[in-house]
Amino acid sequence: MIPPSLRAAGMPFQRLFGVWFLFSLTMGTLPVPTSALADSQRALELPVDHGKAPLPVANWTKSFWINSPGANPLAGEGSQGPLTEDADVCIIGSGLTGVSAAYHLGKQLEGRERAAPLKVVILDARDFCAGATGRNGGHLSPVAFASFNLALQRFGTDEVLRWLALERHTVTEVVKIIEEHGLQEAVDLTNGGRIELLITPEELTAAKADYKAAEAAGADLDDVKWLNEGETFGSSHPGYLHTGYNLWPLKFVTELYKLAAASPALNLTLHTRTPVTAVTPSNGSSTRPWTLNTPRGSVSCTRIIHATNAHVSHLLPHMSGPAGVIPVRAQVMALRAAAPLDSISRHAWTGNEGFEYWFPRPLEEGQEHPLVIIGGGREATLPKYELYVADDSAINPKAGAALRKFLPTLFPGKYEEGREPEMEWTGIMGYTASSDPFVGPVVDPSSSTNKYEGHFVSAGYSGHGMPRAFACAEALAQMVAAGIMGKSWSPPEWLPRHYLTNRVGLVQH
Ligand SMILES: Cc1cc2nc3c(=O)[nH]c(=O)nc-3n(C[C@H](O)[C@H](O)[C@H](O)COP(=O)(O)OP(=O)(O)OC[C@H]3O[C@@H](n4cnc5c(N)ncnc54)[C@H](O)[C@@H]3O)c2cc1C
């Protein structure tokens, strides 16, 4: 998980290895290269043609979130029996984006005079929410100011402030829903704040400069507290603390689905284990102009929301490669700490330019030492960084080896060297060259005709979707609802205009 809008000039491999080697000599044996972000970004932007993304694989690695007993009651919902024949809105993907889109459609249309509830169907290739959302690091943290300067250069002050506003809007709204419905325990919400550990002197210098620029631009930095080496719970690095939550993402999405299904404005159904293999024009139907093709039959749709993130280019091939959304495999493990929760701290953490991220789970009865969910290790797989890897049925041993050593090295004595994780899994993120998602009507720039009329997309959160997908789906639902009601749509103030697929005269991705 790397902060969004992070872009940097490429760094040659020789230099990268030099930095890693020097760092190892001076700081001990951190098992991952430092200062790898620029190089991974360069690799991401290489104009290579890997073609469209495949469908999600069927035999995915088991994740703590999905495979803990009772965690996924909707796993196989709608996978048997008759398939819904048609719908006003067909949503492809049951992760945070797809389910948020359904939730927001309900909110948008509630109280509006309509003859019948909006017929909405969600289809997913796998079990409910078994993509990135069911396999991620569990952090729900808005960016405080990281990468502010880079984003400022690229998008300008208004856009960078909107980016921060969108993330705060998401987190505020998600927490509000959880609190209003008394779901804190159901989704394991923890308001521990997040510590960004600044491991190299260069990271510290860049963070100070970003803070200054954010302050000058008028960003709200009241929640930021700088920490020196002695204040980071036993690590020998400085950092800063800011707003941050962690939760059980699948359980939150399950609750959100239940809220959407209860909306009087919607008639909502879900079909899991139903991959959409193609979208084709319907023969002669003006009310349901699109057909979703699945191995179980077809669904006729008026409008389509593509919430397929890393796999978006499977159905929208023009969205493949560096100009679109690149599948990138990420690895996570659940590792038991060797010290009590209070000495580990309840915070969520990131380190090493955001490549590693971790937090301790709440203690369960009888447990003394917390289970820590830690993700990252991708920079140890250089030069490929797991780019264009869309297969989460396997783990990468290099990333795994790095992750096993990371916390014992950073926090001597608090984690046991050589301890095996209780679970280890992978998931597929959707990266864009700008680190920002595509939100809005589907537009194929190579085509002069609008061949995707009625299709919408929100995808490409670049490993940082928890504080963005909910709000991006809200913007999408607003657009779709406006179309249904025959009204025009204007973007909410918090939506960065450069996220929009149909932006005109704005900075390109
Ligand atoms: C290992 C990992 C760790 C991460 N950690 C964090 C973190 O801690 N914090 C954070 O902010 N972000 C994190 N992210 C990113 C975050 O999880 C994603 O940005 C977010 O979950 C995206 O949600 P989504 O609904 O768009 O995509 P997904 O959750 O991937 O949902 C897409 C769904 O579409 C389905 N699908 C795809 N193609 C088809 C098709 N053709 N037909 C039918 N269904 C289809 C998939 O099966 C999947 O269920 C992480 C991601 C990964 C993989």
Side-chain angles (χ1 to χ4, degrees):
M1 189 175 60
I2 291 173
S5 295
L6 239 177
R7 299 175 59 89
M11 180 184 282
F13 287 129
Q14 295 85 337
R15 173 141 176 249
L16 181 64
F17 279 118
V19 172
W20 187 7
F21 179 66
L22 266 180
F23 185 75
S24 301
L25 282 183
T26 52
M27 303 298 293
T29 49
L30 203 67
V32 284
T34 55
S35 307
L37 187 56
D39 189 60
S40 70
Q41 179 68 26
R42 194 171 64 101
L44 183 80
E45 290 180 26
L46 284 177
V48 277
D49 181 11
H50 288 264
K52 65 181 189 177
L55 281 170
V57 299
N59 51 339
W60 59 86
T61 45
K62 290 184 174 162
S63 92
F64 173 84
W65 310 120
I66 299 171
N67 295 92
S68 292
N72 197 358
L74 296 172
E77 181 79 10
S79 60
Q80 313 259 316
L83 189 66
T84 300
E85 280 175 16
D86 70 322
D88 300 313
V89 181
C90 294
I91 299 176
I92 313 174
S94 68
L96 181 55
T97 302
V99 174
S100 297
Y103 171 83
H104 287 300
L105 276 172
K107 288 278 162 206
Q108 288 296 316
L109 296 173
E110 243 165 59
R112 305 287 179 110
E113 273 185 32
R114 287 177 41 80
L118 191 75
K119 200 170 174 194
V120 178
V121 61
I122 301 180
L123 296 104
D124 201 293
R126 292 178 163 181
D127 286 6
F128 179 71
C129 196
T133 312
R135 332 177 62 76
N136 71 21
H139 294 233
L140 176 68
S141 300
V143 160
F145 59 81
S147 309
F148 197 93
N149 271 312
L150 288 166
L152 194 62
Q153 279 164 25
R154 189 155 173 81
F155 302 115
T157 308
D158 289 351
E159 283 293 271
V160 186
L161 292 178
R162 283 191 188 111
W163 157 44
L164 301 188
L166 174 137
E167 298 209 4
R168 281 178 190 254
H169 170 73
T170 304
V171 174
T172 306
E173 289 303 306
V174 166
V175 170
K176 202 161 114 193
I177 291 172
I178 292 171
E179 288 177 348
E180 272 178 11
H181 295 275
L183 298 170
Q184 293 92 326
E185 276 190 29
V187 306
D188 280 352
L189 181 73
T190 302
N191 178 6
R194 185 158 90 169
I195 294 178
E196 316 275 341
L197 214 50
L198 302 164
I199 289 182
T200 64
E202 291 78 16
E203 263 194 274
L204 178 60
T205 306
K208 294 269 178 189
D210 282 329
Y211 181 89
K212 238 172 132 179
E215 196 173 36
D220 177 2
L221 298 167
D222 286 353
D223 61 331
V224 176
K225 182 179 175 222
W226 289 92
L227 306 170
N228 65 35
E229 289 82 349
E231 295 175 313
T232 52
F233 296 86
S235 96
S236 56
H237 304 287
Y240 63 91
L241 172 69
H242 66 104
T243 302
Y245 295 82
N246 54 68
L247 43 58
W248 192 308
L250 167 60
K251 290 192 176 176
F252 171 67
V253 175
T254 304
E255 295 299 335
L256 202 61
Y257 178 83
K258 288 191 216 159
L259 291 172
S263 167
L266 300 187
N267 167 358
L268 178 63
T269 44
L270 169 64
H271 292 292
T272 61
R273 303 173 192 166
T274 309
V276 177
T277 50
V279 182
T280 48
S282 304
N283 278 341
S285 167
S286 56
T287 48
R288 304 280 195 231
W290 295 105
T291 300
L292 303 188
N293 299 278
T294 86
R296 299 176 58 199
S298 59
V299 186
S300 306
C301 313
T302 307
R303 292 175 172 83
I304 298 171
I305 292 180
H306 294 258
T308 48
N309 202 32
H311 302 274
V312 68
S313 65
H314 188 77
L315 298 173
L316 302 171
H318 69 276
M319 291 191 73
S320 63
V325 178
I326 298 174
V328 179
R329 187 166 64 187
Q331 198 150 317
V332 181
M333 57 177 61
L335 189 69
R336 184 73 56 189
L341 182 58
D342 285 342
S343 83
I344 302 280
S345 98
R346 276 163 216 268
H347 303 301
W349 298 71
T350 69
N352 199 23
E353 301 179 305
F355 272 111
E356 277 69 45
Y357 41 95
W358 64 98
F359 77 90
R361 295 256 316 119
L363 286 178
E364 284 169 32
E365 218 176 295
Q367 290 179 349
E368 200 189 331
H369 297 158
L371 194 61
V372 175
I373 306 293
I374 172 166
R378 201 162 59 80
E379 70 281 38
T381 71
L382 81 176
K384 298 207 168 144
Y385 298 102
E386 299 286 75
L387 304 179
Y388 295 99
V389 182
D391 176 3
D392 55 8
S393 70
I395 56 162
N396 185 314
K398 283 188 187 162
L403 277 181
R404 280 166 175 73
K405 289 188 190 144
F406 188 79
L407 291 175
T409 310
L410 264 189
F411 299 98
K414 295 191 176 172
Y415 296 87
E416 194 184 315
E417 290 267 0
R419 185 176 200 123
E420 277 299 298
E422 295 182 13
M423 277 182 100
E424 184 173 19
W425 64 93
T426 48
I428 312 300
M429 309 179 287
Y431 263 68
T432 65
S434 67
S435 304
D436 291 330
F438 294 96
V439 181
V442 174
V443 179
D444 179 354
S446 70
S447 164
S448 55
T449 57
N450 187 1
K451 60 180 186 183
Y452 290 108
E453 177 87 48
H455 289 232
F456 297 81
V457 64
S458 184
Y461 308 103
S462 306
H464 188 65
M466 293 291 285
R468 300 203 278 182
F470 178 86
C472 292
E474 181 177 354
L476 219 54
Q478 287 177 5
M479 287 176 215
V480 172
I484 290 167
M485 304 297 291
K487 302 218 161 115
S488 62
W489 174 79
S490 43
E493 183 42 41
W494 44 257
L495 183 70
R497 297 338 187 221
H498 70 273
Y499 284 16
L500 290 169
T501 48
N502 57 350
R503 63 204 173 277
V504 179
L506 290 162
V507 184
Q508 298 296 302
H509 266 273

